[in-house]
Amino acid sequence: LLLDLDGTLLDDSKALTAGSRGFYEAHRSSLGDKTFEAFRARWRPISGRHWARIVAGELSFEDQPRECMREVMGVQFSDAEADAAFEPFLQSYEEAWCCYDDVAEFMRQTKGLKKIAVTNGQRAAQRAKMQRTGLLADISDLVTPEDVGAWKPDPAMFHNALNQLGVAPNEAMMIGDDYEKDIAPALVMALQTFWIRRGVNDLSEALAVIRS
């Protein structure tokens, strides 16, 4: 099994909301946003724009939150100052890391299948999430852009994972929540797929497909 992490196994939306709230509460006197909702509406495009710069090779993973801090707070922080400003977000975000409720049973039911995570996140951060939530007990390793020099949906990410598992594409399944980045490239490579859409289906349905 090739498994995406955020939005598939890990409730990253919940963690991001917690991180944003922790940051807002810590800095609300310095922010111009009168409500948390107003702050989040301003924060999301800033974070997304600087994340796109990582993918484009313009920023490192470490510099992305620093640039976000400088823009959202309107201060030309040094790197150390930006890291300190971001700390309330990071602390609240990490404290909220958790798996979706159906993950434990999915892992139990698929105990005999080799698994690897395929993620566009930073290796150290994603591995820390897996450690905190217990996923490392069930998933052997992870493939990240830092390992491959490419990002999903690049086939190199999937080839790397298949090579680590020692299986052919038609012997593996990709499970992910992003059709464009997880499912479409896997289909082109002739992997089986399960597109999980939280709120629409869950991993119990993926189990049914695996058994069929």
Side-chain angles (χ1 to χ4, degrees):
L1 292 173
L2 282 63
L3 301 164
D4 175 58
L5 289 176
D6 296 326
T8 298
L9 303 180
L10 299 169
D11 191 347
D12 199 53
S13 178
K14 177 180 178 180
L16 286 171
T17 297
S20 298
R21 187 172 292 280
F23 178 85
Y24 177 72
E25 294 301 332
H27 294 291
R28 64 189 307 169
S29 63
S30 302
L31 296 166
D33 311 287
K34 294 184 178 180
T35 66
F36 172 64
E37 290 71 23
F39 165 72
R40 286 219 59 198
R42 191 164 67 90
W43 167 259
R44 283 171 175 160
I46 291 173
S47 178
R49 183 165 60 254
H50 291 300
W51 182 265
R53 293 178 65 196
I54 300 178
V55 178
E58 299 173 5
L59 283 181
S60 68
F61 281 108
E62 293 77 15
D63 283 334
Q64 189 261 357
R66 294 167 179 162
E67 290 300 302
C68 288
M69 291 300 97
R70 291 167 182 136
E71 182 170 350
V72 79
M73 299 192 74
V75 178
Q76 287 305 304
F77 291 125
S78 67
D79 286 354
E81 290 169 336
D83 291 344
F86 187 62
E87 186 59 30
F89 184 107
L90 189 60
Q91 181 176 342
S92 298
Y93 175 62
E94 291 180 355
E95 288 174 354
W97 285 344
C98 64
C99 291
Y100 289 102
D101 292 341
D102 56 358
V103 171
E105 180 61 16
F106 177 82
M107 292 300 175
R108 190 183 73 81
Q109 295 277 354
T110 59
K111 200 73 175 177
L113 296 176
K114 294 186 289 186
K115 304 176 184 70
I116 191 165
V118 185
T119 170
N120 276 346
Q122 182 187 31
R123 169 170 270 275
Q126 298 298 76
R127 189 172 177 83
K129 290 180 188 178
M130 294 171 69
Q131 178 83 44
R132 175 82 64 86
T133 58
L135 288 175
L136 282 178
D138 298 291
I139 301 174
S140 61
D141 201 357
L142 65 165
V143 177
T144 75
E146 292 160 286
D147 304 312
V148 179
W151 298 72
K152 291 187 296 184
D154 194 301
M157 293 283 285
F158 301 89
H159 283 300
N160 186 293
L162 292 169
N163 288 339
Q164 288 196 49
L165 291 177
V167 298
N170 63 0
E171 299 173 309
M173 173 183 282
M174 176 69 204
I175 300 177
D177 69 307
D178 189 314
Y179 189 88
E180 182 178 318
K181 294 176 182 176
D182 296 323
I183 305 304
L187 287 172
V188 170
M189 294 174 60
L191 278 79
Q192 297 179 67
T193 63
F194 183 82
W195 182 21
I196 188 158
R197 289 162 289 169
R198 292 296 178 180
V200 175
N201 59 16
D202 59 32
L203 289 175
S204 66
E205 295 179 50
L207 285 171
V209 176
I210 290 169
R211 294 190 189 109
S212 63

